[in-house]
Amino acid sequence: MNAIVALCHFCELHGPRTLFCTEVLHSPLPQGAGSGDISGQNEQAEEEEGGIQMSSRIRSHSPAEGASADSSSPGPKKSDMCEASGCRSLAGGHPGYVSHDKETSIKYVSHQHPNHPQLFSIVRQACVRSLSCEVCPGREGPIFFGDEQHGFVFSHTFFIKDSLARGFQRWYSIITIMMDRIYLINSWPFLLGKIRGIIDELQGKALKVFEAEQFGCPQRAQRMNTAFTPFLHQRNGNAARSLTSLTNDENLWACLHTSFAWLLKACGSRLTEKLLEGAPTEDTLVQMEKLADLKEESEGWDGSEEEEKPSSQPDVVEGQELSKSSPETSLMPDCNSWNIAHRRLSVFRSLRHMRQVLGAAAFRMLAWHVLMGNQVIWKARDMDLVQSAFDVLRTMLPIGCVRIIPYSEQYEEAYRCNFLGLSPHVQIPPHILASEFAVLVEVRAATRSSLYPTLFDDEQSLNKYEFVVTSGSPVAADRVGPTILNKIEAALTNQNLSVDVVDQCLVCLKEEWMNKVKVLFKFTKVDSRPKEDTQKLLSILGAAEEDNVKLLKFWMTGLSKTYKSHLMSTVRSPTSSESRN
């Protein structure tokens, strides 16, 4: 956690002072006079606690902080120091403390004040505010303050018993400073509990010393019997005692370093950033629904024998299962392994690869039919080739719109599948060949071996194939086509975009148009708006063209049951409540 934890003290002679602070260094310790020279290294003691190795380092002595927050250099005048070291933690020449986090290579450095002038000013101002104007009721407890320029501060003020102080107590605070306001606020409960534990330990030790001193020499009765002296004289003669003296703990600063270093490490580890994906996409919802259906079917098959289905039926089921699971995130282990094996033997690696092989005109015709929901038929001997083509083409559609029969020995109607793989000898009905709602891709043996040069190092190179794309309704070259097709082609032709970037573009484009589909579904199917209003809506959505309207109507079939049922229940609930009234 990029923060500074400091212990502050209110001195009756000099006001608020920083006694001890611990900061985080993500880089090697700075060298040079400007940031605190390291004159030598003497590992006097090592401790292992929470994965942090502690060692003591000799530092060149830097004087404590100045009297004002505007001081440009972190160093007070010697005359401003308390005589009994009440404003000082480490004596001159005393080594500072450095803890090495072996896991993250981060150093936690403790000293009286930061060596960097800007950090010194920030800590100094936070110290002054925590012990003067920014206090909670009762002057003891936690409070939050700060701004973007000087950082945000979590401060916990408390009293330490001192038999020689006015009121028999002295005022301290532990502050945590960082620039991230949200992170600090979210860490409030954690910091409050841990810092409160440190304070309780300090107060417990000081209370034992106080009680022992009061038992030996009660100060209250002695002060009442003492003649009145001027206030200033009393202040000058009653310099603050050091915290080590108040707690009778010579290892106090080492213990505080350990506590502050652990606090910074633990507070930084407990909160981590996480990418929020937002609401699940339609593809995710369809996948979840399909998985639930498969679980129900498997439960129904347990303990019962099913009659063997015709040979053509398993192909349909297999194709539907494949259509519900994207190649990237399959929800079924067997489909996952199937996809991995076929991806290894596949010929088509991406849409860009297919466009290069088929040619721009043939690919545009094929992509147009895919987006419109027309039946795409591939005839080839190589099943791996056909499956790889379907794996690539299906990425242009929402998962709910994909129905695949990977390979069949007979023609299947369009209502059963929109991707159909056939062996070369299968006869296709003439009305299908002449239909404007179907496209046929025939894979033939190339007449010349160099007809299609190998673009990728595939196990089966494409130079032995010839691809013929025909349709009863060929797409004219000057036809505008759906907007999403033009954007897909623009991404495929942009050589500055890698294949992975193009894949992400497809995901974004599909989500954009699925959102338009949701609006249109709500507008037409749920609200039953008139045709004129629908045309206005399509114009607002930028989808008033004929091809865009056809695409939206086809993609509407890919909406998940979860979304449709939620939308219908949301719309019907106000009506039912009104009828009851």
Side-chain angles (χ1 to χ4, degrees):
M1 183 174 73
N2 292 323
I4 296 178
V5 181
L7 173 66
C8 306
H9 162 57
F10 187 88
C11 177
E12 295 182 1
L13 295 178
H14 310 114
R17 284 291 183 270
T18 303
L19 287 181
F20 193 76
C21 70
T22 303
E23 58 182 315
V24 180
L25 294 182
H26 293 270
S27 57
L29 288 175
Q31 296 183 356
S35 58
D37 297 334
I38 301 175
S39 59
Q41 180 173 343
N42 177 24
E43 297 189 355
Q44 298 178 344
E46 293 188 0
E47 298 182 38
E48 290 289 340
E49 180 171 339
I52 302 178
Q53 179 183 1
M54 293 183 52
S55 63
S56 183
R57 283 198 173 178
I58 302 295
R59 287 179 163 276
S60 63
H61 173 58
S62 298
E65 56 201 70
S68 66
D70 300 330
S71 176
S72 59
S73 61
K77 297 178 181 179
K78 204 167 184 178
S79 59
D80 289 343
M81 300 302 297
C82 283
E83 299 174 5
S85 301
C87 294
R88 179 184 298 156
S89 56
L90 304 179
H94 188 283
Y97 299 97
V98 179
S99 294
H100 303 267
D101 189 344
K102 297 178 180 178
E103 297 177 356
T104 59
S105 300
I106 292 177
K107 296 182 178 66
Y108 300 90
V109 182
S110 293
H111 33 63
Q112 177 144 352
H113 53 77
N115 290 306
H116 194 281
Q118 185 177 2
L119 292 180
F120 169 83
S121 178
I122 291 175
V123 173
R124 170 62 177 162
Q125 185 180 71
C127 170
V128 171
R129 294 180 65 179
S130 70
L131 293 172
S132 57
C133 55
E134 304 288 356
V135 293
C136 61
R139 300 182 68 192
E140 191 171 21
I143 194 171
F144 178 88
F145 60 88
D147 53 60
E148 296 287 347
Q149 181 179 359
H150 300 98
F152 299 93
V153 182
F154 172 87
S155 172
H156 195 303
T157 52
F158 60 99
F159 291 104
I160 291 290
K161 285 291 185 179
D162 182 2
S163 60
L164 300 182
R166 288 190 304 156
F168 301 104
Q169 59 186 9
R170 298 198 181 274
W171 203 18
Y172 290 84
S173 70
I174 295 179
I175 59 176
T176 303
I177 313 167
M178 67 184 309
M179 303 304 295
D180 192 335
R181 177 175 61 90
I182 301 300
Y183 196 101
L184 188 58
I185 291 176
N186 290 333
S187 302
W188 175 288
F190 176 82
L191 291 174
L192 179 60
K194 302 306 176 183
I195 291 178
R196 186 68 247 180
I198 298 173
I199 293 173
D200 290 341
E201 186 175 357
L202 292 176
Q203 289 179 331
K205 293 179 179 180
L207 182 60
K208 291 180 181 179
V209 175
F210 174 80
E211 291 176 346
E213 291 177 348
Q214 287 290 85
F215 179 79
C217 182
Q219 290 293 315
R220 187 179 299 275
Q222 181 179 353
R223 292 182 185 184
M224 293 179 65
N225 295 329
T226 303
F228 174 77
T229 55
F231 175 68
L232 289 177
H233 174 73
Q234 184 178 358
R235 289 188 62 192
N236 291 332
N238 189 20
R241 300 159 66 185
S242 66
L243 192 57
T244 55
S245 174
L246 294 178
T247 59
N248 193 26
D249 186 358
E250 296 298 328
N251 297 321
L252 174 68
W253 305 118
C255 293
L256 280 180
H257 167 77
T258 304
S259 300
F260 287 175
W262 181 89
L263 185 68
L264 290 170
K265 176 179 172 61
C267 192
S269 301
R270 59 180 294 272
L271 294 179
T272 57
E273 293 182 352
K274 183 178 181 181
L275 177 63
L276 298 179
E277 300 290 346
T281 63
E282 283 299 303
D283 285 356
T284 303
L285 291 176
V286 172
Q287 287 178 352
M288 295 169 61
E289 292 172 356
K290 184 60 184 177
L291 182 59
D293 293 341
L294 291 174
K295 287 183 177 179
E296 291 181 2
E297 289 184 22
S298 62
E299 291 174 359
W301 290 342
D302 291 342
S304 63
E305 294 181 0
E306 294 291 333
E307 184 178 354
E308 188 175 356
K309 298 178 182 180
S311 59
S312 61
Q313 188 68 16
D315 288 339
V316 179
V317 175
E318 181 185 8
Q320 289 174 346
E321 289 174 356
L322 290 172
S323 67
K324 301 299 184 184
S325 306
S326 69
E328 294 80 9
T329 56
S330 176
L331 293 175
M332 296 158 46
D334 54 340
C335 289
N336 231 354
S337 58
W338 191 93
N339 280 330
I340 292 173
H342 281 71
R343 202 178 296 157
R344 184 169 59 251
L345 299 175
S346 63
V347 175
F348 292 107
R349 300 287 187 176
S350 63
L351 284 174
R352 177 177 288 170
H353 181 201
M354 180 177 286
R355 187 174 185 273
Q356 292 172 333
V357 172
L358 299 182
F363 176 81
R364 181 176 177 82
M365 181 193 301
L366 180 61
W368 184 88
H369 283 279
V370 170
L371 293 171
M372 293 294 106
N374 299 334
Q375 191 175 40
V376 178
I377 306 171
W378 280 68
K379 294 182 68 174
R381 296 184 181 275
D382 191 345
M383 294 177 58
D384 297 336
L385 173 64
V386 175
Q387 185 60 54
S388 70
F390 290 162
D391 287 342
V392 168
L393 291 173
R394 65 188 293 174
T395 60
M396 292 190 292
L397 292 178
I399 291 179
C401 295
V402 178
R403 304 181 307 279
I404 296 179
I405 297 180
Y407 207 75
S408 177
E409 296 298 329
Q410 63 181 16
Y411 173 76
E412 300 290 347
E413 294 293 338
Y415 74 88
R416 298 192 65 193
C417 61
N418 56 339
F419 290 97
L420 174 61
L422 299 175
S423 65
H425 67 274
V426 176
Q427 295 295 323
I428 301 176
H431 71 278
I432 298 298
L433 295 175
S435 173
E436 61 178 337
F437 302 110
V439 61
L440 173 64
V441 181
E442 295 184 86
V443 182
R444 306 170 182 172
T447 55
R448 294 178 297 171
S449 61
S450 60
L451 184 61
Y452 294 102
T454 302
L455 301 176
F456 294 85
D457 295 332
D458 296 323
E459 290 82 355
Q460 301 177 12
S461 58
L462 294 177
N463 58 2
K464 58 183 178 182
Y465 296 123
E466 180 180 359
F467 301 89
V468 180
V469 183
T470 58
S471 174
S473 176
V475 180
D478 57 347
R479 186 167 183 170
V480 177
T483 305
I484 189 174
L485 175 58
N486 300 326
K487 291 184 178 181
I488 289 175
E489 285 196 312
L492 296 177
T493 55
N494 188 348
Q495 297 300 323
N496 293 325
L497 303 181
S498 65
V499 174
D500 293 335
V501 174
V502 173
D503 290 341
Q504 293 302 314
C505 288
L506 283 174
V507 173
C508 296
L509 288 173
K510 286 193 293 184
E511 279 301 300
E512 174 189 353
W513 281 82
M514 281 304 290
N515 290 333
K516 297 180 181 181
V517 168
K518 292 178 181 179
V519 174
L520 184 62
F521 177 82
K522 170 76 165 54
F523 203 80
T524 58
K525 303 297 183 182
V526 180
D527 297 341
S528 301
R529 299 293 185 92
K531 188 175 181 180
E532 294 78 11
D533 292 346
T534 303
Q535 286 300 123
K536 294 179 181 179
L537 174 66
L538 291 173
S539 299
I540 295 174
L541 296 176
E545 295 79 7
E546 180 183 359
D547 285 348
N548 287 329
V549 175
K550 290 181 179 179
L551 182 143
L552 291 176
K553 290 181 178 179
F554 167 57
W555 283 30
M556 200 178 292
T557 63
L559 287 174
S560 63
K561 299 176 184 177
T562 304
Y563 174 77
K564 292 179 180 178
S565 61
H566 172 72
L567 193 60
M568 297 300 292
S569 62
T570 304
V571 172
R572 288 172 181 170
S573 55
T575 306
S576 59
S577 61
E578 290 176 4
S579 62
R580 287 194 296 269
N581 295 334

